[in-house]
Amino acid sequence: LYAAAVALARALERKTSCIDEWNLLWEDNTFWKEKRPEPLIDARIFIPEEGNFGINDARNVRSFLAERPIISSHRTAIIPDAERMSLDAQQALLKISEEAPPSALIIMCASRATRLSATLRSRYGVVSFARASREMLARWIQETHNMGAKESAAEAQLALGNSGYFMHLHANADALERAKNERVVFERGNLGEILALAADDGVDIERFFYALSDQCAQRFGEAFPKERIAIMQELLVCHA
């Protein structure tokens, strides 16, 4: 989703096609490792230096969009992980959206759009990207990365069915090792070990919980109580 937003911004600025920019981005190992593409003139990715997207970040978006585009038809603001945006930032962005100039384009990337306020969501069009099945991702990995069927299936499971996350893991050795360690701990099912992993400063708690719930669903299927998953999420977030 985030990569698609970046490809769109690059296409608008360079007057190329989204498909061409997507293909170039797909081969850019540095992008998948750092998630920070080369700078653009009329597009900016608003990644907070610390914590989640807050009121100061929203003000930076307003200042950026207020300027006239230089070479593109739009000034494009991309906000990754928008579901983590503070309430104050959401309220500020709502006002920005209502008063933005015609050249402004705001793209918010969210894995859980319902965490944004209903009023803010009502101001935007929604483009949904379905997660690929494990089988589909495994076939793609096998075809594009010269892996055997068994190895491709294991990689698809590690990447949680997400092709972008797969690319990120294989561009970042530390992230790949962390994901493999998490999978081993989840399979052992020791709560103390799981909580210790959740407390690690480098952990992405949202992705961590998704991986944990994915493992629980695989082990217990529909028999795993949904309320237990909710309790586990609360414990992990509080512990972290």
Side-chain angles (χ1 to χ4, degrees):
L1 176 57
Y2 171 54
V6 173
L8 172 60
R10 285 169 48 156
L12 287 171
E13 180 156 316
R14 298 172 177 176
K15 296 179 173 59
T16 55
S17 76
C18 281
I19 297 298
D20 289 343
E21 292 299 339
W22 173 263
N23 290 335
L24 289 172
L25 202 61
W26 198 251
E27 298 172 359
D28 185 350
N29 209 45
T30 301
F31 170 76
W32 293 107
K33 182 177 182 179
E34 301 177 0
K35 294 296 184 72
R36 291 177 183 266
E38 61 188 64
L40 295 170
I41 295 174
D42 287 322
R44 184 175 300 171
I45 299 167
F46 290 85
I47 301 176
E49 293 299 327
E50 295 182 2
N52 296 328
F53 190 98
I55 185 68
N56 289 333
D57 299 295
R59 289 169 180 156
N60 290 336
V61 170
R62 180 180 61 192
S63 299
F64 172 76
L65 294 176
E67 299 176 14
R68 287 177 175 269
I70 299 173
I71 60 174
S72 174
S73 58
H74 292 80
R75 294 281 278 182
T76 305
I78 300 173
I79 305 173
D81 301 318
E83 69 270 22
R84 303 183 186 183
M85 194 183 303
S86 71
L87 183 58
D88 287 343
Q90 290 188 46
Q91 292 172 341
L93 203 61
L94 176 63
K95 186 173 178 63
I96 292 168
S97 303
E98 293 171 340
E99 300 175 353
S103 59
L105 176 62
I106 302 173
I107 303 176
M108 293 188 290
C109 306
S111 57
R112 296 172 181 81
T114 53
R115 291 192 175 181
L116 295 169
S117 72
T119 308
L120 181 60
R121 295 200 311 271
S122 70
R123 300 298 190 274
Y124 289 80
V126 177
V127 179
S128 299
F129 290 77
R131 187 178 294 271
S133 69
R134 301 294 165 83
E135 293 77 15
M136 184 183 298
L137 180 59
R139 286 197 300 271
W140 175 80
I141 293 172
Q142 188 174 2
E143 292 170 2
T144 59
H145 289 75
N146 298 317
M147 294 184 186
K150 186 175 181 179
E151 186 181 4
S152 297
E155 292 289 335
Q157 181 171 334
L158 193 65
L160 306 172
N162 186 315
S163 57
Y165 187 45
F166 166 80
M167 295 294 289
H168 171 65
L169 290 178
H170 283 268
N172 189 322
D174 290 341
L176 179 59
E177 188 64 26
R178 183 182 297 116
K180 288 181 176 178
N181 289 340
E182 287 175 0
R183 178 62 61 173
V184 171
V185 171
F186 295 161
E187 289 175 351
R188 281 202 294 261
N190 184 293
L191 182 58
E193 289 183 315
I194 292 172
L195 289 174
L197 276 178
D200 189 295
D201 290 338
V203 74
D204 178 339
I205 196 65
E206 292 288 341
R207 184 207 53 75
F208 180 90
F209 176 71
Y210 186 90
L212 176 60
S213 59
D214 176 76
Q215 177 64 26
C216 290
Q218 287 189 50
R219 178 175 294 186
F220 300 102
E222 295 183 359
F224 191 77
K226 292 182 179 180
E227 59 269 21
R228 185 172 296 181
I229 290 181
I231 292 170
M232 283 169 32
Q233 182 179 28
E234 186 174 347
L235 280 171
L236 288 170
V237 173
C238 291
H239 189 76

